[in-house]
């Protein structure tokens, strides 16, 4: 237990020359200073020009008393009434301990590969070897053999690990790993939480494990489909451990455009609206605004369309415009496996990310800031998604082609079917012009008709939320011959946590627009974000 011999630093602002002292000396010094302040505020102290009004003196005295009580609490001399402050002190002490451990790991990683080596440190050598392994498709066995051979070629006092296991353990200590989450082969669910120990999908009954095509033997432990999730919370916390990065993450707070021009998302209307709606979040300059982007690509051959892989990326908009879109600052969060694109079932794979985003919004995460050298509660919000139109339809859960192809206009979309081209086109854009605009009467310039209509009202998020409130998702690939299944005839739930909420929603009857509801294929998982 800490006693009087424990060395602490006096927290007074005015006595920076006080070196490390014992607790008793610090407390005695603070009491003495309190007596001096009280003496200076007395009515007799006027020889040096310290004229003092009663109200101001009382205010300053109260401020000093509060200061002193706060220091007294933090110093550990509190009773039961200060239990909460002691708890916060333990948290701060724990964070300091984690910071010391991290700095020790960092110092170990920056150790030269051998004493006279100037080109590589321990971490850079391991990362370089891993890059070569990935680019050339080496097996784990061949890479392990290489690691066993290299130390024999280097000087005796080298620090290179001699096995793949040790290398992975070293990298994992920096939170550079990822989580492997097994998924249903039909995209029905993820085998996590209450489904973690199941061997078959609870919805389509498909096996979780691969099967030997020749013998029919189930290879238990080898999943048919695996989602890779790179947790975002430790990565965001690690960004604030760098002084330079912590400074860049504050850029948005004081660099808003003053001439009305849009140079960065911080100048947008959406940013201002969210700041106005959530002033507590906006008041902390270190809170993070994120954008999500996803699309499919073929990892093997551009001409091969049999396999589609879907990465999910996060963009940090706190950074300056020349930094936020650099590849080293864009975070890869999910790798959704193929061979087919997830389509509307992408919500199943977004569940771990949405859970972390909800945690960062509701509770936050205690984070050490290297720039200010203190801890704070880090919070984050997802502001935008960035995607092409088909991927946007998958994320939002709406139709992006056909008669109601416009997500904003909904059932009021002006569409026209071209008989010979066999496709819908969307005209009547002149409805957005003023009633007296000369383009409204130009027939030959457009579709051969004069435009006299008015622009319909754009749907708001509140309207969509009200319509989709009782929508039940059924994430599963169902192949039916001859006809398409009706998207609204759904009986399942889209995620592990939807069961309880859907039961309570069924009791509440909401008036919905059936025609508008027909263009929606699901209630997007982004509605789980409170903002």
């Amino acid at each position: 237990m800490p006693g009087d011999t424990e060395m602490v630093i006096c927290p007074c602002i005015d006595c920076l020359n006080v070196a490390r002292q014992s607790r008793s000396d610090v407390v005695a010094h603070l009491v003495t200073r309190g007596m001096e302040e009280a003496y200076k505020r007395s009515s007799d102290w006027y020889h040096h020009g310290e004229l003092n009004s009663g109200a101001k003196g009382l205010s300053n005295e109260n401020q000093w008393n509060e200061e002193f009580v706060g220091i007294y609490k933090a110093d550990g001399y509190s009773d039961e009434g200060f239990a909460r402050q002691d708890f916060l002190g333990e948290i701060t002490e724990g964070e300091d301990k984690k910071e010391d451990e991290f700095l020790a790991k960092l110092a170990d990683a920056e150790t030269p590969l051998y004493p006279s080596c100037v080109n590589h440190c321990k971490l850079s050598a391991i990362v370089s070897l891993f890059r070569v392994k990935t680019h050339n498709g080496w097996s784990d066995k061949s890479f392990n053999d290489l690691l066993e051979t290299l130390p024999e070629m280097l000087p005796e006092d080298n620090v290179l690990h001699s096995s793949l296991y040790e290398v992975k353990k070293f990298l994992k200590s920096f939170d550079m790993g990822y989580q492997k989450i097994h998924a249903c082969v039909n995209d029905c669910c993820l085998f996590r939480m209450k489904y973690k120990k199941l061997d078959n999908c609870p919805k389509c009954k498909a096996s979780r494990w691969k099967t030997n095509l020749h013998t029919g033997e189930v290879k238990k432990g080898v999943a048919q489909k695996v989602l890779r999730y790179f947790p975002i919370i430790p990565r965001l916390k690690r960004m604030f451990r760098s002084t330079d990065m912590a400074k860049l993450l504050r850029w948005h707070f004081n660099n808003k455009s003053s001439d009305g021009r849009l140079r960065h998302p911080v100048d947008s209307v959406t940013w201002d609206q969210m700041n106005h709606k959530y002033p507590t979040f906006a008041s902390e300059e270190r809170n993070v605004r994120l954008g999500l982007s996803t699309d499919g690509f073929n990892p093997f051959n551009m001409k091969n369309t049999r396999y589609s892989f879907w990465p999910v990326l996060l963009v940090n908009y706190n950074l300056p415009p020349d930094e936020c879109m650099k590849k080293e600052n864009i975070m890869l969060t999910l790798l959704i496996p193929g061979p087919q694109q997830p389509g509307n079932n992408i919500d199943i794979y977004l569940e771990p990310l949405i859970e972390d985003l909800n945690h960062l919004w509701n509770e936050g995460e205690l984070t050490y800031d290297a720039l200010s050298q203190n801890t704070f509660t880090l919070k984050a919000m997802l502001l935008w998604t960035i995607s092409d139109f088909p991927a946007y339809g998958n994320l939002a859960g709406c139709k992006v082609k056909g008669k109601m192809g416009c997500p904003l206009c909904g059932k009021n979309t002006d569409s026209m079917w071209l008989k010979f081209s066999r496709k819908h086109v969307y005209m009547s854009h002149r409805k957005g012009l003023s009633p007296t605009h000369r383009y409204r009467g130009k027939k030959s310039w457009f579709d051969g008709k004069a435009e006299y209509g008015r622009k319909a009202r754009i749907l708001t998020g509140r309207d969509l939320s009200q319509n989709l409130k009782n929508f039940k998702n059924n994430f599963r690939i169902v192949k039916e011959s001859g006809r398409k299944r009706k998207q609204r005839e759904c009986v399942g739930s889209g995620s592990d946590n939807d069961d309880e909420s859907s039961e309570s929603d069924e009791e509440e009857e909401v008036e919905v627009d059936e025609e508008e509801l027909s263009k929606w294929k699901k209630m997007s998982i982004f509605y789980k974000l409170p903002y």
Side-chain angles (χ1 to χ4, degrees):
M1 294 179 62
D4 285 346
T5 58
E6 184 177 359
M7 305 304 286
V8 295
I9 297 177
C10 180
C12 292
I13 298 175
D14 299 330
C15 50
L16 298 176
N17 58 340
V18 179
R20 290 181 174 269
Q21 307 172 44
S22 65
R23 286 182 179 269
S24 57
D25 292 338
V26 169
V27 173
H29 169 70
L30 292 172
V31 172
T32 304
R33 186 190 169 203
M35 295 173 62
E36 291 174 355
E37 292 290 333
Y39 179 69
K40 286 180 180 180
R41 294 188 184 96
S42 65
S43 57
D44 297 329
W45 186 269
Y46 60 89
H47 295 290
H48 297 281
E50 288 86 352
L51 299 177
N52 188 20
S53 62
K56 184 178 179 181
L58 184 61
S59 174
N60 292 336
E61 188 172 354
N62 290 338
Q63 182 180 359
W64 165 248
N65 289 338
E66 292 174 3
E67 227 176 84
F68 182 77
V69 170
I71 295 169
Y72 191 78
K73 290 180 185 178
D75 201 43
Y77 288 89
S78 55
D79 248 351
E80 296 178 358
F82 300 140
R84 173 65 180 166
Q85 189 69 25
D86 288 342
F87 175 70
L88 293 176
E90 290 175 4
I91 293 178
T92 306
E93 186 178 351
E95 284 296 315
D96 291 341
K97 187 177 180 181
K98 290 180 181 178
E99 175 65 14
D100 293 339
E101 292 176 356
F102 179 81
L103 292 175
K105 294 175 186 176
L106 197 61
D108 179 49
E110 293 175 348
T111 305
L113 188 58
Y114 50 88
S116 59
C117 181
V118 294
N119 296 324
H120 283 289
C121 63
K122 184 178 180 180
L123 180 61
S124 67
I126 290 174
V127 172
S128 298
L129 289 172
F130 247 109
R131 186 184 298 113
V132 176
K133 174 187 183 297
T134 305
H135 286 177
N136 295 279
W138 293 353
S139 65
D140 288 351
K141 183 180 181 304
S142 63
F143 189 63
N144 195 74
D145 293 341
L146 177 67
L147 291 175
E148 291 177 356
T149 307
L150 281 178
E152 298 176 1
M153 303 178 181
L154 296 173
E156 293 183 1
D157 46 0
N158 70 85
V159 294
L160 184 65
H161 291 295
S162 58
S163 69
L164 181 60
Y165 171 76
E166 293 177 358
V167 167
K168 288 184 176 180
K169 188 177 179 181
F170 172 75
L171 293 176
K172 193 174 182 181
S173 65
F174 290 94
D175 293 323
M176 295 174 69
Y178 58 88
Q179 300 175 6
K180 290 183 178 180
I181 305 173
H182 296 172
C184 172
V185 69
N186 294 322
D187 302 331
C188 301
C189 67
L190 296 178
F191 291 99
R192 58 192 291 270
M193 299 175 68
K194 63 181 180 181
Y195 299 148
K196 187 175 183 179
K197 297 181 179 180
L198 297 182
D199 291 330
N200 296 89
C201 175
K203 297 180 181 180
C204 67
K205 308 304 178 185
S207 175
R208 176 179 181 175
W209 315 111
K210 285 186 177 181
T211 305
N212 191 315
L213 298 178
H214 300 289
T215 63
E217 180 185 358
V218 176
K219 301 178 182 179
K220 194 163 185 179
V222 183
Q224 295 200 61
K225 188 175 282 191
V226 180
L227 169 71
R228 270 82 174 178
Y229 175 53
F230 300 80
I232 63 171
I233 293 178
R235 297 164 76 185
L236 290 173
K237 293 175 67 175
R238 193 164 60 241
M239 293 176 76
F240 281 96
R241 290 182 181 272
S242 166
T243 306
D244 294 336
M245 181 58 69
K247 186 176 181 180
L248 290 176
L249 288 169
R250 292 168 164 84
W251 179 91
H252 68 98
F253 199 73
N254 297 315
N255 289 275
K256 185 176 176 63
S257 173
S258 58
D259 57 4
R261 296 185 179 182
L262 182 66
R263 299 186 180 91
H264 184 273
V266 71
D267 305 322
S268 66
V269 176
T270 304
W271 195 293
D272 291 336
Q273 288 176 343
M274 297 303 285
N275 285 350
H276 179 71
K277 191 173 183 180
Y278 302 105
T280 305
F281 180 89
S283 62
E284 174 55 71
E285 60 184 348
R286 293 169 289 191
N287 287 338
V288 179
R289 279 85 166 172
L290 300 169
L292 182 144
S293 178
T294 183
D295 200 0
F297 78 100
N298 191 342
F300 304 117
N301 191 339
M302 292 300 293
K303 296 180 180 179
N304 184 1
T305 59
R306 295 182 180 180
Y307 197 96
S308 178
F309 207 70
W310 283 63
V312 178
L313 310 172
L314 283 183
V315 181
N316 193 331
Y317 285 121
N318 279 33
L319 297 172
D322 58 332
E323 293 287 339
C324 64
M325 287 299 174
K326 284 187 176 179
K327 60 181 181 181
E328 57 265 25
N329 294 328
I330 295 178
M331 297 190 295
L332 174 65
T333 58
L334 292 167
L335 284 176
I336 303 174
Q340 288 84 25
Q341 65 169 342
N344 293 315
N345 303 330
I346 196 172
D347 285 11
I348 291 294
Y349 299 100
L350 290 173
E351 284 178 8
L353 176 60
I354 296 299
E355 287 178 7
D356 278 355
L357 287 173
N358 270 321
H359 173 73
L360 286 171
W361 175 260
N362 295 322
E363 290 87 19
E365 189 73 17
L366 198 64
T367 304
Y368 178 81
D369 181 13
L371 184 63
S372 59
Q373 297 184 355
N374 61 10
T375 56
F376 71 103
T377 302
L378 172 66
K379 293 193 173 185
M381 70 160 60
L382 181 67
L383 275 182
W384 294 285
T385 60
I386 313 166
S387 57
D388 57 11
F389 210 44
Y392 169 74
N394 292 339
L395 290 173
C398 62
K399 297 176 182 178
V400 291
K401 55 185 178 181
K403 186 178 179 181
M404 294 187 290
C406 178
L408 298 180
C409 300
K411 66 179 182 180
N412 298 317
T413 303
D414 291 304
S415 61
M416 182 171 59
W417 175 254
L418 299 181
K419 180 179 178 180
F420 297 104
S421 299
R422 300 190 59 80
K423 64 179 181 180
H424 282 94
V425 293
Y426 309 95
M427 304 297 291
S428 303
H429 304 302
R430 291 171 287 167
K431 288 184 178 180
L433 300 174
S434 61
T436 58
H437 200 283
R438 63 190 183 92
Y439 280 2
R440 283 181 172 267
K442 297 287 186 181
K443 298 181 181 180
S444 59
W445 285 17
F446 299 98
D447 56 354
K449 300 177 183 177
E451 183 59 69
Y452 301 108
R454 297 180 60 186
K455 186 178 179 181
R457 185 176 68 92
I458 293 177
L459 294 173
T460 64
R462 187 182 299 274
D463 297 334
L464 297 178
S465 176
Q466 192 74 0
N467 268 332
L468 296 172
K469 191 170 186 179
N470 290 336
F471 198 100
K472 296 180 184 177
N473 297 329
N474 183 28
F475 297 123
R476 179 185 175 189
I477 297 177
V478 180
K479 295 181 180 179
E480 299 181 4
S481 58
R483 65 183 181 88
K484 293 183 179 179
R485 67 186 178 96
K486 294 183 179 180
Q487 297 291 341
R488 290 185 288 113
E489 294 179 359
C490 304
V491 294
S493 178
S495 64
D496 302 336
N497 301 324
D498 282 348
D499 298 334
E500 298 178 2
S501 60
S502 61
E503 291 177 2
S504 60
D505 289 342
E506 286 175 359
E507 300 174 359
E508 185 179 351
E509 294 184 1
V510 180
E511 184 179 351
V512 297
D513 188 338
E514 291 294 334
E515 186 181 0
E516 182 63 45
L517 194 63
S518 65
K519 79 178 296 291
W520 293 91
K521 298 177 282 187
K522 67 178 179 183
M523 183 173 184
S524 176
I525 195 171
F526 292 118
Y527 279 102
K528 288 188 175 182
L529 299 173
Y531 44 88

